[in-house]
Amino acid sequence: MFTPLGPTLRELAVQALSSIERGYDLLAPKFDQTPFRTPDHVLDAVARALRALGPFDTGLDVCCGTGAGVGVLRQVCRERVTGVDFSAGMLAAGRSALPESADAPVVDWVRADARALPFAPVFDLALSLGAFGHFLPKERPVLFAQVHASLRPGGLFVFPVGAPPRAGSPVYWAMLGFDAAMRVRNALWRPRFVMYYRTFRLPDVLPELERAGFEVELLPLTELGRRPDGSPRCRLVVARRT
């Protein structure tokens, strides 16, 4: 799962016993060499879908990490892109990986908690990739409200969601085991490290987005494949600020 340039088992153990912020500060220099980074084929599919939904002038990558989503937004936004994360290490890694370019939008890197975003409603598009497991279900209404408040009227909040694994499959058991181990860790150790794979359920999330003031539709990302029943393996949630 990890390249030779990725973190060692000892480094992962130290990260897992840290807070979320400190853990990602430690992991940041090697994060892009781990399977936790959103794969390029998913980034490409999201970028293609966003081009069809644009044009956009300004974009916000919520919980940007090392900037995979910033890279997508630079392809589809014309003026300015902002990456926000509360890990200084991840922001520094993103800034190094995505230097300024004369033919690309200006990029700002902002350290802030996504539950208290410091922005006026100035963005046409907000994107988030792979970060929702770091928020407990009770925190999502605040998170969605903060993104809503950062968007202009008519602005879009988008994120890809994979289909849940088939019950009893190896991926299903791996996710179940990871979440169980994380709950035991958080019961026995402080500070907590919140990261759960099975708490972000689309049937729960869609009404939460609507209560936050979004109109929601789902777009199939068909180039990422279909399940045996014909349904897409991945969808793009498109939530429009009304």
Side-chain angles (χ1 to χ4, degrees):
M1 293 178 65
F2 294 87
T3 72
L5 299 177
T8 65
L9 182 61
R10 180 183 180 279
E11 289 172 328
L12 287 173
V14 171
Q15 181 216 5
L17 294 175
S18 305
S19 67
I20 302 176
E21 181 180 352
R22 176 60 177 159
Y24 275 105
D25 284 348
L26 294 171
L27 184 61
K30 298 182 178 181
F31 180 80
D32 286 349
Q33 305 300 322
T34 73
F36 308 129
R37 179 187 181 275
T38 303
D40 286 340
H41 66 280
V42 175
L43 300 177
D44 292 342
V46 171
R48 282 191 287 271
L50 291 178
R51 289 190 190 98
L53 296 171
F56 307 102
D57 290 329
T58 53
L60 174 66
D61 185 0
V62 182
C63 305
C64 66
T66 56
V70 170
V72 171
L73 293 174
R74 290 211 308 182
Q75 298 177 51
V76 301
C77 294
R78 298 180 292 196
E79 295 180 4
R80 201 171 200 96
V81 172
T82 299
V84 61
D85 202 282
F86 77 160
S87 166
M90 297 294 267
L91 292 169
R95 190 179 292 110
S96 297
L98 292 168
E100 293 291 341
S101 172
D103 57 352
V106 174
V107 178
D108 300 310
W109 302 91
V110 177
R111 185 167 180 258
D113 189 325
R115 295 164 296 188
L117 293 174
F119 306 117
V122 296
F123 297 102
D124 302 314
L125 174 64
L127 169 68
S128 193
L129 299 168
F132 295 121
H134 292 301
F135 299 92
L136 297 173
K138 65 182 181 182
E139 298 174 311
R140 287 199 301 258
V142 173
L143 171 65
F144 294 160
Q146 288 293 299
V147 176
H148 183 277
S150 301
L151 289 168
R152 295 184 175 122
L156 301 182
F157 177 31
V158 303
F159 49 89
V161 175
R166 178 177 53 83
S169 67
V171 174
Y172 172 89
W173 289 115
M175 294 171 66
L176 183 66
F178 181 93
D179 281 13
M182 189 60 67
R183 292 185 187 280
V184 172
R185 179 255 187 243
N186 287 333
L188 300 175
W189 191 267
R190 291 292 185 273
R192 294 188 309 169
F193 191 96
V194 176
M195 177 61 213
Y196 298 109
Y197 282 105
R198 302 177 71 249
T199 58
F200 193 80
R201 298 178 62 255
L202 203 54
D204 300 327
V205 168
L206 296 182
E208 290 172 350
L209 287 166
E210 291 171 352
R211 286 193 291 271
F214 291 102
E215 291 180 349
V216 186
E217 63 175 320
L218 300 176
L219 300 182
L221 297 176
T222 53
E223 60 263 57
L224 298 180
R226 293 186 178 276
R227 307 176 83 188
D229 64 1
S231 62
R233 293 189 180 277
C234 189
R235 291 179 170 91
L236 189 70
V237 176
V238 180
R240 184 180 299 275
R241 173 175 172 167
T242 57

